[in-house]
Amino acid sequence: MIWRNGPDGFGLITRGLHWGMALLILSLLALGLRLSSLQPDLSTLWLYGLHKTVGLTALALVLLRLIWHRLSPPPAPLAVGWQVRAAKAGHLALYALMLVIPLSGWIASSATGIDTVFADRWVVPRIAPVSEAWESAAFTIHGIATKLLMAVLALHALAALHHEMAGKGTLTRMLRGRR
């Protein structure tokens, strides 16, 4: 197996990070939507802790992924012309949102004054002052960015399917490493 990316294909590490993060993000979106309809109480508190733990894990993985792409650059896109620019813009939006969402959640949680605990074990340092204004602003950003992420993810998936059905092998390359 090829661990690193090559000029024509994605390596095992990139593919593992891609699909692992896809599962994490879809889980976070589902859990976040559920949490937005709940009233926080003692019986649901563990769900908020789970959401924070998985969110901080996703943040660590996106940082790892950015480092990995510096060490092992992804292959050139299979699209041409305006589609290359659209793909680059879409990927830039995905990475920006994958950073903004967990950071805004961490800021909002810090601003509540309640400890953010990772894996029900370790207290995560606060990155914002305890403040209703900070809390409100960060939760607003978190919500808006999450809705944007859902839209960009839908476009990302549709574009991959479109290119696959057009015979370009985009999805195949992310599944198998090569076309």
Side-chain angles (χ1 to χ4, degrees):
M1 293 234 148
I2 298 172
W3 295 93
R4 297 176 62 86
N5 297 324
D8 299 318
F10 292 104
L12 189 59
I13 292 174
T14 295
R15 288 182 285 137
L17 284 169
H18 177 274
W19 294 110
M21 288 188 68
L23 286 173
L24 269 181
I25 289 168
L26 291 174
S27 299
L28 279 164
L29 290 171
L31 182 56
L33 287 170
R34 178 71 179 122
L35 289 174
S36 68
S37 69
L38 293 176
Q39 279 288 61
D41 64 32
L42 292 177
S43 69
T44 60
L45 199 56
W46 70 276
L47 290 170
Y48 292 90
L50 176 64
H51 185 74
K52 292 174 187 181
T53 296
V54 177
L56 288 169
T57 301
L59 175 61
L61 286 175
V62 75
L63 294 172
L64 177 65
R65 194 169 173 180
L66 288 167
I67 292 167
W68 177 248
H69 283 307
R70 286 283 183 204
L71 298 172
S72 182
L78 297 174
V80 292
W82 69 269
Q83 293 177 342
V84 172
R85 290 187 299 280
K88 286 184 180 189
H91 283 102
L92 179 64
L94 283 172
Y95 279 102
L97 291 165
M98 288 187 295
L99 291 169
V100 166
I101 292 168
L103 286 172
S104 61
W106 188 1
I107 290 167
S109 292
S110 295
T112 66
I114 301 168
D115 284 339
T116 300
V117 181
F118 182 84
D120 208 22
R121 186 170 192 162
W122 297 284
V123 175
V124 179
R126 285 197 171 103
I127 60 170
V130 176
S131 160
E132 284 184 36
W134 278 76
E135 178 185 353
S136 177
F139 275 129
T140 298
I141 292 167
H142 191 72
I144 291 169
T146 298
K147 288 170 184 63
L148 284 171
L149 179 64
M150 287 189 272
V152 174
L153 283 176
L155 288 172
H156 180 72
L158 288 171
L161 285 172
H162 169 74
H163 287 292
E164 188 64 30
M165 296 183 85
K168 294 182 180 163
T170 303
L171 190 55
T172 301
R173 190 164 75 159
M174 189 47 82
L175 288 167
R176 291 191 211 154
R178 299 218 183 285
R179 285 173 42 173

